[in-house]
Amino acid sequence: MSQSDQLKSHIDELVPDLIAMRRDLHEHPELAFEEERTSGIVAKRLRTMGLEVQTGIAKTGVVGLLHGGASKPGAKTIAIRADMDALPIQEMNDINYRSTIDGKMHACGHDGHTSILLAVADLLNKRREELNGNVKFVFQPAEERIGGAEPMIKEGAMQDVDGIIGLHLISDYPLGRVGVRSGSVFASADRFILTVKGKGGHAAMPETTVDPIVISAYIVTALQTLISRETSPFSPAVITIGTIQAGTAFNIIPESAEMHGTMRAFNADHRSKLTRRISEIAQGIATAMGGSCEVEVLDGCPPCVNDAKMTEIVRDAAISTVGEKEVDASEDVLTAGSDDMACFLEAVPGCYFIVGAKNEEKGAKYPHHHPRFNIDEDALPIGVEVLTRAAMDFLKQ
Ligand SMILES: [Zn+2]
Ligand SMILES: [Zn+2]
């Protein structure tokens, strides 16, 4: 049996356990920074394998370190990352491993990511003696709130790491397909709050007031010109105002108006330009109309930018797993969603890729964060194989 066939047959043996683990995590979802049970299971498994385990990183994060038995001086370390958190959603799926916790659900596939990485740890651990280098298994909390990756890095999770890889299962990307692309793949995300201050008064005497609602209306419209007039058609970006709050009655001009919005971009320069221009436009319009505007930008997450060399390694691993025809580098791989894997990718060169998990026949067809979200579990062994091969190939180079 060739080495490649041997790996496939080892993965086949792991599939029942892989699915059982995913379903167990699915039944017991935990929200951001509350992943106590999940991280307990992860730490216990990694310790049973004999890895060096650190817990309580960024509250509920876990790191397991596998020392390769064939490490020569100067050998490298590759990190593989999975996120563990669930979402505050009431599950509406009719399945026998439905969430047992009201109002909480794994509706993004992170139960899959965690179980995939545990299987990868098992496989690589069994090949420990062949490995020229180390593998760091990084289980992060709080991806959904964009908050787990950064504190893990601050607490040293990327120390002595030479490269990082990770995957996201995607429910609207066909099963059997793997999307791997160099450069930006997930957008940045920044939340902003615009507080427009005017001067309140009687609705029938506007000349004695400065109307913050009219100012806000101009700002909302003008912000879209940042996309239509100041952004190249070849550089996608999004600005959305999601809420506008102002006023108490039809015949009163209020003192102020508050707008909340989000901005997405695919590279750091574009992101910082749009951030600056949102402020300039909002403040410029408000001032010109006699009012003022306070601008607050929060929750920043950079875009996920893949390194060309790391992408090549993952691409080759994906080809060995699903065949060249099913490995996709097209724009279908891009998403305007964000992921704080971006922080790890800023810290060390890496590659974040997507694994198709859509299968209408099995009901795996709803979008992420939907109460009927589900994945085709046949995607799990595909993810396991790509990560395992990529890690082994990285350490060979
Ligand atoms: Zn999500
Ligand atoms: Zn996710």
Side-chain angles (χ1 to χ4, degrees):
M1 204 188 275
S2 76
Q3 251 188 347
S4 171
D5 292 339
Q6 213 175 46
L7 178 66
K8 280 193 192 283
S9 85
H10 282 166
I11 293 173
D12 285 346
E13 286 166 24
L14 288 180
V15 165
D17 180 58
L18 179 58
I19 291 174
M21 174 55 70
R22 184 253 159 176
R23 292 186 176 188
D24 177 71
L25 297 176
H26 192 87
E27 282 183 67
H28 302 95
E30 295 174 301
L31 302 184
F33 293 122
E34 295 171 5
E35 306 90 338
E36 304 284 347
R37 180 183 183 274
T38 310
S39 61
I41 291 171
V42 167
K44 195 173 161 206
R45 283 236 172 175
L46 297 177
R47 282 200 182 105
T48 309
M49 293 173 202
L51 304 197
E52 199 179 299
V53 179
Q54 251 184 298
T55 57
I57 309 172
K59 217 168 167 197
T60 41
V62 182
V63 167
L65 186 61
L66 169 65
H67 294 279
S71 293
K72 299 187 186 88
K76 290 185 287 186
T77 298
I78 183 162
I80 316 178
R81 172 269 201 180
D83 42 12
M84 302 186 287
D85 57 325
L87 286 155
I89 296 176
Q90 180 66 39
E91 176 154 19
M92 282 171 63
N93 280 322
D94 191 15
I95 46 177
N96 62 10
Y97 55 93
R98 204 184 125 98
S99 168
T100 56
I101 301 169
D102 261 358
K104 297 181 188 176
M105 175 190 177
H106 267 294
C108 202
H110 300 185
D111 48 350
H113 303 166
T114 302
S115 33
I116 285 173
L117 190 51
L118 284 172
V120 173
D122 192 8
L123 285 164
L124 288 173
N125 188 44
K126 284 182 181 136
R127 287 161 176 73
R128 180 195 286 254
E129 294 314 316
E130 305 161 28
L131 298 178
N132 168 26
N134 311 312
V135 188
K136 211 178 218 191
F137 301 94
V138 178
F139 293 84
Q140 91 154 73
E143 187 284 320
E144 295 293 357
R145 283 216 335 235
I146 304 290
E150 222 181 341
M152 282 197 95
I153 295 166
K154 282 203 183 113
E155 290 177 39
M158 287 299 104
Q159 239 162 37
D160 307 319
V161 170
D162 301 289
I164 186 160
I165 52 177
L167 62 79
H168 208 302
L169 297 164
I170 301 286
S171 67
D172 55 7
Y173 193 68
L175 177 78
R177 242 172 136 58
V178 177
V180 196
R181 191 177 153 108
S182 184
S184 296
V185 282
F186 280 58
S188 64
D190 293 285
R191 184 156 71 98
F192 57 86
I193 302 173
L194 306 177
T195 310
V196 177
K197 299 216 165 114
K199 190 173 154 227
H202 199 296
M205 295 156 212
E207 75 281 12
T208 65
T209 73
V210 175
D211 188 343
I213 291 182
V214 172
I215 297 175
S216 298
Y218 275 96
I219 292 174
V220 171
T221 313
L223 289 182
Q224 290 311 318
T225 65
L226 292 179
I227 307 299
S228 66
R229 302 291 79 186
E230 294 191 29
T231 290
S232 155
F234 302 107
S235 288
V238 180
I239 294 175
T240 294
I241 297 287
T243 70
I244 304 181
Q245 242 116 39
T248 52
F250 77 97
N251 56 357
I252 300 170
I253 289 171
E255 278 285 313
S256 64
E258 193 173 287
M259 298 185 275
H260 289 227
T262 183
M263 189 260 288
R264 311 287 168 117
F266 281 88
N267 72 63
D269 288 348
H270 199 189
R271 179 188 181 205
S272 65
K273 180 191 161 186
L274 288 175
T275 308
R276 176 174 56 80
R277 291 292 292 141
I278 286 172
S279 280
E280 286 172 358
I281 290 214
Q283 285 166 343
I285 288 175
T287 309
M289 297 178 80
S292 64
C293 182
E294 270 172 29
V295 181
E296 211 183 329
V297 181
L298 311 136
D299 289 350
C301 177
C304 287
V305 183
N306 284 342
D307 172 75
K309 230 177 123 195
M310 292 299 294
T311 303
E312 216 29 62
I313 293 171
V314 172
R315 200 183 121 74
D316 288 345
I319 290 172
S320 304
T321 305
V322 292
E324 192 156 11
K325 237 180 68 212
E326 296 299 339
V327 180
D328 180 13
S330 78
E331 286 186 354
D332 291 349
V333 178
L334 306 181
T335 165
S338 69
D339 194 302
D340 72 352
M341 174 72 175
C343 300
F344 292 119
L345 295 169
E346 274 191 344
V348 290
C351 177
Y352 199 38
F353 62 99
I354 60 169
V355 173
K358 176 184 180 170
N359 187 343
E360 300 223 12
E361 278 167 29
K362 294 186 188 172
K365 58 178 180 180
Y366 294 94
H368 288 247
H369 299 200
H370 188 281
R372 291 191 192 279
F373 169 87
N374 207 350
I375 53 159
D376 184 337
E377 288 169 329
D378 288 345
L380 302 174
I382 296 175
V384 170
E385 190 172 340
V386 180
L387 288 173
T388 306
R389 286 184 188 280
M392 291 197 300
D393 291 348
F394 177 85
L395 294 179
K396 271 182 207 148
Q397 294 191 357

